[in-house]
Every structure is written in structure tokens, then in C-alpha cells.
Amino acid sequence: MATRLAELPITGFAREQLLFRLSRLTKEWRHCARNADEDAVHDLRVSLRRFGEILRAFRRFFPKRAHQQIREEIRQIMNFAGRTRDVDIARHSFQQAGLSLNPRLELHLTNERAVASAGLRALLAVGLETDFATRWRRTLALDSIALPSPGVDS
């Protein structure tokens, strides 16, 4: 694969990377929409961040409006996922320190996670309902970025 990628023009490389990251993100998105547990939220955030970084790195190949639209969607999801993850980290920190939560703090954290998780799952459900992966591929015109034929100089 590395040899083949080295032979691609930069637009082909950008396309391959975005499609690969989008595929991974789609898997994590679906998993988290079904079960927004601690690991699923973490994995979703990692996939979103990696997709966003590839998109940012190759932004010059895409229309500014398309790039910004997807970045805004990523920001919204990262906001809710981050709020959800913050609660998980807070709980984990107390456990690591060997401290127990008082009932008021436990209730507060439970409510915070429930609200953030509900918002996250709602955004993920809308993304699945609108087929975010296909929509993002079309928005970025990933299917129209031509890859060279094998053996043809580019």
C-alpha cells in the first residue's frame, strides 16, 4: 500500500486518506449511536479528530464552504462528545484517587452525562438518518477526485 500511495498524485493521496478515515469514523459513529459508553465516546472522538486533521491538512483541495460545513458539523459533535467524556474522566479521576463521590456530586455527574449523552446521541442519530458519510463524500466531491490508472504516469 505504501508503494502505491507514493505513486499517487497528492489529490489521490488526500482522497484515499479521507475515505479511509471516513470509513473508520462511520464505524465508530454507528457504534456510539447504539451505545454511548465510555469507550465508544472516546473512540468516536479519536476518529472525529483524525478525520478533521486530514481534512484540515488537505483543505486546499476542497471548496472552502464544503470544508467549513463539515468542520462545523464535527465541532458540534465534538462539543457533546467532549462534555460526555469530561464526566467519564472526572469519575475515573475520583476512582484513581481512591475517593468516593458524595451523593450530590454523583447526582450532578450522572445528570451532566445524561444530558450530554442524549445530545450526542441525537446528533449521531440525525447524522445516520441523513447518511452523513455519503453527504460528506458528496460535499467534498470525493468520488470525483480522479485517481491515476495503474502504470500511468501522473
Side-chain angles (χ1 to χ4, degrees):
M1 172 120 172
T3 302
R4 190 171 96 66
L5 287 178
E7 296 169 358
L8 290 177
I10 190 71
T11 55
F13 178 74
R15 176 183 177 271
E16 289 241 339
Q17 290 300 302
L18 280 166
L19 288 172
F20 172 76
R21 291 293 171 199
L22 185 57
S23 172
R24 178 68 184 188
L25 175 57
T26 301
K27 176 183 173 243
E28 299 302 339
W29 189 301
R30 287 184 178 132
H31 177 75
C32 195
R34 282 190 307 271
N35 179 16
D37 65 16
E38 188 175 332
D39 290 334
V41 173
H42 172 72
D43 292 345
L44 174 69
R45 283 174 46 87
V46 169
S47 289
L48 281 165
R49 210 169 26 251
R50 288 180 178 167
F51 180 83
E53 285 303 312
I54 294 294
L55 182 60
R56 186 188 61 73
F58 295 114
R59 68 182 172 268
R60 68 185 179 107
F61 298 117
F62 306 103
K64 186 174 184 178
R65 181 152 165 67
H67 173 266
Q68 288 175 335
Q69 175 187 339
I70 292 171
R71 297 283 303 173
E72 180 56 32
E73 286 186 60
I74 290 171
R75 267 191 289 282
Q76 290 175 10
I77 296 163
M78 286 294 280
N79 181 36
F80 280 98
R83 288 178 52 202
T84 304
R85 184 82 176 123
D86 287 348
V87 173
D88 295 337
I89 291 169
R91 278 198 168 124
H92 185 69
S93 296
F94 277 99
Q95 288 174 344
Q96 289 287 85
L99 301 172
S100 58
L101 298 172
N102 71 44
R104 286 183 65 195
L105 183 55
E106 175 64 39
L107 180 62
H108 174 73
L109 290 176
T110 298
N111 288 340
E112 281 294 310
R113 192 177 197 295
V115 169
S117 179
L120 174 60
R121 292 180 77 184
L123 283 173
L124 296 176
V126 168
L128 291 175
E129 184 69 30
T130 62
D131 192 4
F132 84 95
T134 299
R135 190 165 38 82
W136 288 7
R137 273 196 312 274
R138 286 184 184 144
T139 300
L140 294 171
L142 290 177
D143 297 328
S144 66
I145 296 175
L147 289 174
S149 301
V152 174
D153 290 340
S154 44

